[in-house]
Every structure is written in C-alpha cells, then in structure tokens.
Amino acid sequence: MIEDVDAGNVTAGTKSNSGGVNLYQNKAIVLIPTPSPDPKDPLNLPAWHKYLMIFLVGVYSAFAVLGTSGLGAVYPEVMKMYKPEEAIRATDLMTYPTLFMGLGNLFSMPLSVAIGRRPVFLASLVLLLASSIWCACSGNNLSSHIGGRNIFSMAAGQSEALAPLIVEEIHFLHERSAKLSWFVGVQTVGTAVMFIATTALVPVWGLKWWYGIIAIVTGVLLILSVLFMVETKYDRPVDADGGLVQLKFDEQGNLDSEGKQNFLYQVTTKQTHVLQPEIFGPRTWRYDLRVFHFKPDWKATVVFYKETLQCLIIPNVFWLLCLNGAFLGLYVYQASTFAQLLMPPPHLFTSMELGYVQLVQIADCMILIPVLGYGADFLVKSMSRWRDGIFKPEYRLLPIAFPAICAIISAVLYGRGAQDLLSWHWMTIVGPYHLGYFAFIGCNVISIAYCIDSFPRKAGPLLLVVCAGRGFISFGLSYSTVPAIKSLGYDGAMNILAIISGVLLAVLVPAYLTGQYFRNLFAKKVFKEESSVH
C-alpha cells in the first residue's frame, strides 16, 4: 500500500554507507524490490500463479535438459542405430548440445530485453516442439540427428538464463534462493523420472517415440504457457531495488513524474499491500494473453551486449563463470560416460537399472531445496540481522564452499572407479556422478542469486555471462576430456578437473572480502551509477 513515510526516520531498504542495504525495518523484512500498487506488476501476482509459473518453467527445463543430456543413459542403444565408422562422430550428439545451449542464450537474452520475456519463452517452446519432431523423423541419418539436436539445444538454452530470470522477477530478495531451488527441484525431479522412462522406452520403442513424447509434452506446455506465463518484465523505479521508492502524484491522484505530491513508499512483510487499479488499471485476462506488451527496442540489444562484456570483466562474476563452467563440464562428461562404464563387465548394468541410478537425482533435489535454497536465504537473513539489518550480496557466496568440495570429491572418486573397474565398487561411479550433479546445481543457484543481488538492473547480462558462458567452458572441458583420458587415463583427467575445482574454491576467500569494493567500483566507473544498489 502507498504509505507516506517520514524520510528522516526510515532507514530500511536505503543504501547504507557500508555498501549494503537494510533488509529489516521494525523486525519486519523489507520487500526488495518494492512492489508497485499496480496490479500488473508481476511482483503482485497471487502465490498460486507464481508457483504455477515456477512449475511451467521447471517442467520446460526438465525436458530441455532431458533432450540435451538424456542420451547418456541409453548411449549404447543409440550407437546401434549407426554404422561402426560413425561411432566417433556420434559423440557429437552428447558434446555439442552444451555449446548450442550457450549460443541459444546469446540470441534469446537480448531479445527478451528488446521485446519481453513472454514472446521469447513462447517462441522457444515452438522451436523446441519443431526440433523434437525433426529429431524423431531423422531416422538413421546421423547428420540430420545432430542438426536437429543442435537446434533443439538452442531452444533449450532458455532453461539456463531466461527461466531463472523469470523466477527472479516475480519474487523478492529474501526468498530468491528458495524459489530458485523450487524451480531446480521441479527440473530435477522431472528429468530423473523421465530418465527412467528413457531407459525403458528407447530399447523397446526407439528414439523416435522418445522424441515424440518430448514433443507432446512440449505442446501441452506451450498451451499452458500461452494461458498462464505472463510477462514478467516491468519498468519500476531504480530506488525500488533499495526498498524505498519515491512516487509523485498530481492533484488528481494520477502518477506523474512532475507531480506536486511526493510519497516515500515502502512495503514490509508485516504490512498489507493494497493495489490501486483505479490509478494504474486492472490486470485482466486480455492483458495477460497478449504476446507483446512492449514496443520493440532494438537499440536495447546493442546495450545488452555491451553490458554483457562489461559484466564479464567483474572479477567475482568471472570467477563464478569459471566455477559454473568447471562443474558443468565435470557433470556433462560424467553423464556422457557413466552408462558406458556400468553396462559392460564387470558391472553389467541393464538399461532399466541405469534408469534407477538416475532416479537418485531426486535425492539431490531433496537435499538441494532445504540446504541451498531455504538454507541460503536463512543464512542471508541471519547475517543481515547480525550486522544490524544490513544485507550484502557477499553473504550468498559462503554456501558455495559446500558444492565446490563435493565437486572435488566427485572428480577424484569417479576417476578412480572408472580407471580400475575391477578393484572399485560400482558405487564409485554412481555416487560421484550424483555428487557432481549436486555440485553444479548448487553452484548454479548460488551464482544466480548473488549476481542478481549485486546488480539487479543488470540481471539479464549477468545471467547471460554465467549461464551461456559456462556452456562454452564446459563444452571445451568435456570435449577435451576424451583425448585427455586416452593419454592420462580416467584418473589423470579427473584429477585435473579436481585441481581446477580446488583452485577455484580457494578464490572464495578473496572474492568474499573484495566483493563490495568491486561492486561499487564497477557501478561508478563502468555502469555510471552512484554506487552498487546493494
């Protein structure tokens, strides 16, 4: 609700001279960014609608991930479709998707700024549907299959950057990690369940119907998204990111930048937020069903690419990019090889048993949600209270040590188990595989929350740097791992990844200590802002 607040008495939400933002006011959490009285503000969506949107982007991401990495569980079956001389080239079905997911982000994220999130998301579903049908009809033509999967992966790329951006834009600072974890949870459970279906379906029905099911589900998601995936891009005052907004109204009560009446507007968790459709207009079904809500701003795409390059040189962001790329590269390679290691002697896993192995990722999800979702938000709020209510984005970095340690353990054990199958138990393959997945997902959730909290106005470019950039890094790592294994063995190659992960983990300490300095430096010198919002 709009409340005339005494500016002299209000500190919550305003920037502190320590580079943070006050998250608490009278023992209540300040809603950051400040929700507008406008019913069309996506922050004002009812809880059921927000959870439905999380479900939609989560299921979309689940089938996007399934389509790009699901062949690892049935790779021996896939190889039967092609001639022996095509075996080496067939590995492109597994390695190229991460590269093309990154390329998809390079095109889609600037478009989402120019024309809005909704049309880009709907277009991605249409492309995903078309490319699924393409792959289903490719038959034994390897070139056609690779081409269809590359296009599929470009459409699936929005699961990495656009999907979490949508989730972020409908939630507040103090709940971002938890809601991002719900998104990842839906994605993980969906992918794990479909992996089991994949191991049962492909040997009997073939890849044609596997892609066919993906196409059917994508078609249903497209219909539901047309109805419920509303536009989340919203133009709000800059000071909303600090939790205290100055609104101006004319004498008739209309919002007016040149108005005579000034209001300091703040909302906390203990206030009743009142909407004002009489001033801003109501949210209607007709409004929600519109595909385009903004006049295309093509110049914004140029600015977007410029800001992406600027974000790339922020030390903490570049570090998180390397961390995400290393962990994704580790997981992609493990996902590509675990079936080849477990199916032959001495372990002799069946396709169905590989599906049950994949089901354990649901356990990853059950750990991820409370520990790295609610746990991270709880840590942020606790540290903010401890520091006199002041929140700093660097608080988000501390939990990243846990997934980093998991990545190191995963790489070392997987290398040992893969190098000497006779001496090591099959759990030395399965356990590290899931640990590597947990490391990547955990690092992903923390990185997204930190980047958005650091520069809320640069969320799109930051997500492009971290989410698209990691795809290129992981492609290079996973693609070079094959020749590395031939020369160094599984243990040698995995040791290199473990060393890389360990070095990146050591950077956590300087990243935490220098984060505020670099945020303020880049805000003033590069982005030409007064200071970092937080």
Side-chain angles (χ1 to χ4, degrees):
M1 74 191 216
I2 293 185
E3 181 176 351
D4 192 3
V5 183
D6 182 1
N9 295 328
V10 173
T11 59
T14 56
K15 286 176 281 187
S16 72
N17 55 18
S18 63
V21 62
N22 287 333
L23 187 60
Y24 284 87
Q25 170 71 7
N26 297 327
K27 298 183 178 180
I29 299 176
V30 179
L31 299 185
I32 301 173
T34 308
S36 165
D38 184 0
K40 297 184 292 294
D41 184 344
L43 288 173
N44 292 327
L45 287 169
W48 70 266
H49 200 152
K50 292 183 179 183
Y51 278 111
L52 179 58
M53 290 177 66
I54 291 176
F55 177 77
L56 290 176
V57 295
V59 174
Y60 154 74
S61 299
F63 280 83
V65 171
L66 176 72
T68 53
S69 62
L71 289 187
V74 291
Y75 192 71
E77 294 291 336
V78 175
M79 292 302 300
K80 296 178 182 178
M81 298 172 54
Y82 305 110
K83 301 175 182 178
E85 58 267 25
E86 294 179 314
I88 296 179
R89 186 163 167 250
T91 59
D92 292 348
L93 294 170
M94 298 298 304
T95 55
Y96 272 94
T98 55
L99 172 64
F100 278 86
M101 288 179 79
L103 292 175
N105 280 302
L106 284 177
F107 291 105
S108 65
M109 290 303 290
L111 272 180
S112 71
V113 173
I115 64 176
R117 312 336 179 199
R118 176 174 162 84
V120 174
F121 185 75
L122 295 180
S124 299
L125 285 171
V126 172
L127 188 59
L128 203 69
L129 174 61
S131 57
S132 300
I133 297 173
W134 176 355
C135 290
C137 298
S138 63
N140 295 329
N141 189 326
L142 180 59
S143 296
S144 177
H145 191 185
I146 293 174
R149 281 182 61 77
N150 290 344
I151 300 300
F152 182 98
S153 300
M154 290 185 68
Q158 283 59 264
S159 65
E160 294 190 317
L162 182 60
L165 178 62
I166 290 173
V167 174
E168 176 269 333
E169 288 181 324
I170 59 177
H171 293 101
F172 302 104
L173 181 150
H174 70 279
E175 59 182 1
R176 281 175 182 159
S177 288
K179 296 307 186 289
L180 284 172
S181 293
W182 277 107
F183 155 67
V184 172
V186 173
Q187 172 186 320
T188 302
V189 171
T191 303
V193 171
M194 286 307 300
F195 257 103
I196 294 180
T198 296
T199 57
L201 178 67
V202 172
V204 178
W205 296 91
L207 279 180
K208 179 178 181 180
W209 275 107
W210 184 69
Y211 282 116
I213 291 175
I214 293 177
I216 292 171
V217 173
T218 302
V220 174
L221 280 175
L222 177 60
I223 295 172
L224 292 175
S225 297
V226 168
L227 296 175
F228 298 107
M229 184 57 64
V230 300
E231 180 59 63
T232 61
K233 179 183 177 183
Y234 188 80
D235 186 17
R236 64 182 77 253
V238 175
D239 45 3
D241 295 319
L244 190 62
V245 178
Q246 179 171 315
L247 297 179
K248 297 182 178 181
F249 291 86
D250 61 22
E251 295 178 353
Q252 285 72 42
N254 297 318
L255 196 62
D256 181 6
S257 61
E258 302 297 329
K260 299 179 181 179
Q261 301 183 47
N262 297 330
F263 292 86
L264 287 179
Y265 174 45
Q266 182 184 64
V267 182
T268 70
T269 52
K270 291 186 178 181
Q271 289 176 311
T272 302
H273 182 46
V274 178
L275 305 182
Q276 296 186 313
E278 67 277 5
I279 294 178
F280 298 92
R283 175 183 284 276
T284 63
W285 273 101
R286 184 175 182 180
Y287 173 85
D288 286 345
L289 289 175
R290 284 166 50 191
V291 176
F292 298 95
H293 288 79
F294 309 98
K295 181 180 179 181
D297 182 8
W298 301 116
K299 291 183 179 179
T301 59
V302 178
V303 175
F304 187 96
Y305 284 121
K306 174 187 175 182
E307 292 179 343
T308 299
L309 293 175
Q310 292 172 333
C311 291
L312 184 61
I313 60 175
I314 300 175
N316 279 12
V317 175
F318 183 75
W319 167 63
L320 289 174
L321 164 63
C322 295
L323 205 63
N324 274 265
F327 293 176
L328 178 58
L330 173 65
Y331 170 67
V332 168
Y333 184 76
Q334 290 175 340
S336 304
T337 58
F338 84 98
Q340 302 173 52
L341 294 170
L342 294 177
M343 294 189 78
H347 299 313
L348 297 174
F349 272 58
T350 64
S351 295
M352 182 59 69
E353 288 171 336
L354 289 177
Y356 290 127
V357 167
Q358 199 67 32
L359 188 63
V360 179
Q361 284 193 355
I362 295 180
D364 283 348
C365 170
M366 294 300 102
I367 296 173
L368 177 67
I369 289 178
V371 174
L372 292 178
Y374 290 97
D377 283 340
F378 175 78
L379 176 65
V380 164
K381 288 182 281 189
S382 298
M383 293 191 69
S384 297
R385 286 195 297 267
W386 182 42
R387 301 292 180 86
D388 297 324
I390 296 175
F391 163 81
K392 292 183 181 180
E394 282 68 41
Y395 300 161
R396 298 244 185 231
L397 293 179
L398 297 179
I400 214 167
F402 183 37
I405 292 172
C406 290
I408 296 171
I409 295 173
S410 171
V412 172
L413 290 181
Y414 192 90
R416 297 294 186 275
Q419 184 65 30
D420 190 355
L421 295 173
L422 292 173
S423 301
W424 292 82
H425 193 271
W426 57 264
M427 275 298 297
T428 318
I429 302 294
V430 174
Y433 168 52
H434 293 298
L435 205 59
Y437 178 76
F438 175 81
F440 163 61
I441 292 299
C443 181
N444 179 44
V445 170
I446 295 170
S447 300
I448 290 174
Y450 172 77
C451 289
I452 292 173
D453 287 349
S454 297
F455 296 96
R457 297 281 156 171
K458 313 299 179 187
L462 286 167
L463 287 177
L464 180 60
V465 168
V466 174
C467 299
R470 74 186 179 204
F472 298 123
I473 294 176
S474 69
F475 170 75
L477 286 175
S478 59
Y479 203 77
S480 61
T481 304
V482 175
I485 286 175
K486 291 182 179 179
S487 59
L488 302 174
Y490 278 97
D491 53 349
M494 291 296 104
N495 282 342
I496 291 176
L497 285 176
I499 292 171
I500 292 173
S501 299
V503 172
L504 291 172
L505 171 60
V507 180
L508 172 60
V509 175
Y512 180 84
L513 296 176
T514 62
Q516 177 188 323
Y517 169 78
F518 284 115
R519 281 190 290 108
N520 289 331
L521 176 66
F522 275 81
K524 294 177 181 178
K525 302 297 184 181
V526 178
F527 299 133
K528 307 301 180 183
E529 298 173 352
E530 180 182 349
S531 66
S532 174
V533 175
H534 297 154

